Amino acid sequence: MNPHVQFLDRPLTRRVSVGVPVGNVLVGGAAPVVVQSMTNTDTADIDGTVAQVAALHRAGSEIVRITVDRDESAAAVPKIRERLERLGIDVPLVGDFHYIGHKLLADHPACAEALAKYRINPGNVGFKDKKDKQFAAIVETAIRHDKPVRIGVNWGSLDQELLTRLMDDNQAKGFPMTAQEVTREAIVQSAILSAELAEEIGLARERIILSAKVSQVQDLIAVYVELARRSNHALHLGLTEAGMGTKGIVASSAAMAILLQQGIGDTIRISLTPEPGGDRTREVQVGQELLQTMGFRQFLPVVAACPGCGRTTSTVFQELAQTIEGDLRRNMPVWREKYPGVENLKVAVMGCIVNGPGESKHADIGISLPGTGETPAAPVFIDGAKAATLRGPAIAADFQVMVADYIEKRFGRGETA
Ligand code: SF4
């Protein structure tokens, strides 16, 4: 065997970070990687924001960030918190502040109290002599309310004074670094210097999370590897402006998978631009699937479905795989409570006899549908043994009933094997 080939099925070593409690969720330390998301409603629209936070949380978001950009939205925050609590939703809310966060937090103490964490962008917390003063004001509010802070650097709003200073230093040394390298260095330094300042003001390291978001995959990897090397702060991973649809999903997954595999990252957010009228919960689904597909966390039962090929000309198996997956996802918020361990279930939906029986036997419950020219019969395998053969037009519905029965029998008594 080539000695350079290694098979990796887990992060090399999870980087040891300082755990930060965000409401009832621990980020970093020994906690599993947390999936979070952000609303795109106007926070002053209390009904709309409550509905979207609830939807994101139902989809599995463990922390939800909301924009706090003006007095009306700051005033709405405690009302949103109260409404969520009445609905039995205790998901931590994070306030996203830019430019006037110090003022909003001072003028709206109920907002400062209702939030579980404040996000500060050191690139736009204030300018010139006001910068450190306003940064300190937010940090002091966090200390007073015993809240953690995320120091969230963003490529698009990078501290220009710091960048200019590093560019000048680089020039004075005869340009040993490229402009891209200097910019990456400025991003890392902005996060680390801001964290040092927050600690000098009195905020404990157990109350600080760092992020350094950029929009290019290679930049993100380089910046986070360096951030992880130079600090032990909990890290929030995210590719900013990842884009729409498959582009955003692939770019975010590629960047984050490489970092997560190296043990870097304590919480993730997938920043997808939704299609007009699109479903905001997609970013939560992608985050969960990324962690699950890499074997780091288990959120949902797995549905293994073959891609189909010329041996099957009908779409029955695609429709069945989609229906089963949709059913599982829709029912999970209730099933998680009712059927402990159900997220470990493996279902197979296969298109023909070539790989169908084999793959189905490896699943907890699997069906091998008939391919073109095969006898119109669909064997079902349960725990590796053939349990039934389905025939006729109701194969899909019959299999759905069998899956539901299997879940009830295996997980209904709390068995988690
Ligand atoms: S299981 Fe059958 S239908 Fe599915 S991809 Fe393989 S050969 Fe094609």
Side-chain angles (χ1 to χ4, degrees):
M1 186 178 138
N2 181 340
H4 300 294
V5 174
Q6 285 183 13
F7 296 96
L8 304 175
D9 61 359
R10 58 182 66 85
L12 293 172
T13 312
R14 179 90 184 271
R15 168 181 169 267
V16 180
S17 64
V18 176
V20 179
V22 178
N24 54 7
V25 174
L26 182 67
V27 173
V33 180
V34 169
V35 174
Q36 61 175 287
S37 60
M38 184 172 183
T39 56
N40 63 353
T41 53
D42 175 359
T43 303
D45 169 9
I46 296 173
D47 289 347
T49 303
V50 167
Q52 197 174 77
V53 171
L56 289 165
H57 182 56
R58 261 197 307 275
S61 185
E62 295 162 299
I63 295 174
V64 178
R65 183 157 46 116
I66 58 178
T67 299
V68 187
D69 57 344
R70 61 191 199 277
D71 284 313
E72 290 79 0
S73 44
V77 170
K79 295 175 187 155
I80 291 167
R81 179 73 276 164
E82 208 179 291
R83 289 267 299 274
L84 289 167
E85 265 154 32
R86 270 193 263 137
L87 293 170
I89 297 171
D90 59 359
V91 65
L93 293 178
V94 177
D96 197 60
F97 293 98
H98 298 275
Y99 308 107
I100 55 167
H102 61 290
K103 188 169 181 316
L104 292 173
L105 285 166
D107 293 350
H108 298 272
C111 165
E113 188 50 41
L115 292 168
K117 186 178 73 174
Y118 314 149
R119 183 269 167 121
I120 319 176
N121 180 340
N124 62 27
V125 74
F127 301 98
K128 301 207 180 291
D129 52 327
K130 288 192 180 144
K131 189 177 138 203
D132 286 355
K133 221 170 99 195
Q134 292 174 182
F135 180 83
I138 299 182
V139 170
E140 281 158 7
T141 306
I143 295 168
R144 230 177 10 260
H145 290 270
D146 194 21
K147 306 287 179 180
V149 161
R150 169 160 69 96
I151 295 172
V153 179
N154 194 300
W155 176 270
S157 48
L158 181 57
D159 180 339
Q160 290 304 306
E161 288 167 42
L162 175 64
L163 179 62
T164 306
R165 198 173 70 237
L166 292 182
M167 287 286 183
D168 290 347
D169 287 352
N170 191 48
Q171 187 180 18
K173 288 177 193 155
F175 298 104
M177 294 202 282
T178 64
Q180 185 186 31
E181 286 166 341
V182 176
T183 308
R184 287 174 177 177
E185 176 62 23
I187 292 168
V188 173
Q189 282 203 22
S190 177
I192 288 180
L193 293 174
S194 302
E196 282 172 6
L197 181 57
E199 287 186 48
E200 275 167 31
I201 295 165
L203 192 64
R205 190 162 288 204
E206 294 78 16
R207 296 286 180 276
I208 301 173
I209 297 174
L210 298 184
S211 68
K213 297 192 181 182
V214 299
S215 59
Q216 297 299 315
V217 170
Q218 296 298 344
D219 288 325
L220 192 89
I221 295 166
V223 162
Y224 271 91
V225 164
E226 201 49 28
L227 205 48
R229 193 179 68 78
R230 292 194 213 173
S231 87
N232 66 351
H233 288 95
L235 296 180
H236 165 127
L237 293 189
L239 186 75
T240 193
E241 288 100 43
M244 294 180 93
T246 50
K247 190 258 167 197
I249 294 170
V250 171
S252 290
S253 304
M256 288 193 219
I258 288 168
L259 291 165
L260 291 166
Q261 184 68 21
Q262 294 178 61
I264 298 171
D266 300 295
T267 175
I268 62 170
R269 187 220 165 183
I270 307 286
S271 303
L272 292 181
T273 308
E275 312 281 341
D279 185 353
R280 188 69 171 176
T281 62
R282 185 115 171 90
E283 65 175 59
V284 179
Q285 191 181 334
V286 174
Q288 287 188 330
E289 281 177 6
L290 172 61
L291 293 176
Q292 176 155 331
T293 204
M294 294 191 72
F296 301 153
R297 286 191 69 182
Q298 193 72 27
F299 297 97
L300 280 176
V302 173
V303 179
C306 77
C309 67
R311 295 182 65 89
T312 175
T313 46
S314 85
T315 55
V316 175
F317 83 96
Q318 293 159 319
E319 285 158 10
L320 182 55
Q322 195 178 40
T323 306
I324 296 286
E325 197 159 330
D327 269 4
L328 295 170
R329 189 170 282 285
R330 210 171 24 261
N331 286 313
M332 271 313 279
V334 174
W335 284 0
R336 227 175 256 125
E337 307 292 323
K338 194 172 169 192
Y339 301 124
V342 69
E343 65 275 12
N344 297 311
L345 178 75
K346 291 188 181 65
V347 183
V349 179
M350 300 295 290
C352 86
I353 199 166
V354 173
N355 291 321
E359 189 71 47
S360 300
K361 280 182 200 163
H362 285 123
D364 295 314
I365 176 165
I367 185 167
S368 177
L369 291 158
T372 312
E374 291 176 34
T375 313
V380 174
F381 297 83
I382 292 182
D383 296 330
K386 190 167 159 187
T389 301
L390 301 179
R391 290 187 171 79
I395 285 181
D398 292 347
F399 183 63
Q400 275 176 270
V401 171
M402 291 184 79
V403 171
D405 283 352
Y406 181 87
I407 290 172
E408 174 63 40
K409 281 197 192 101
R410 177 166 164 197
F411 301 101
R413 294 186 301 274
E415 186 187 335
T416 57

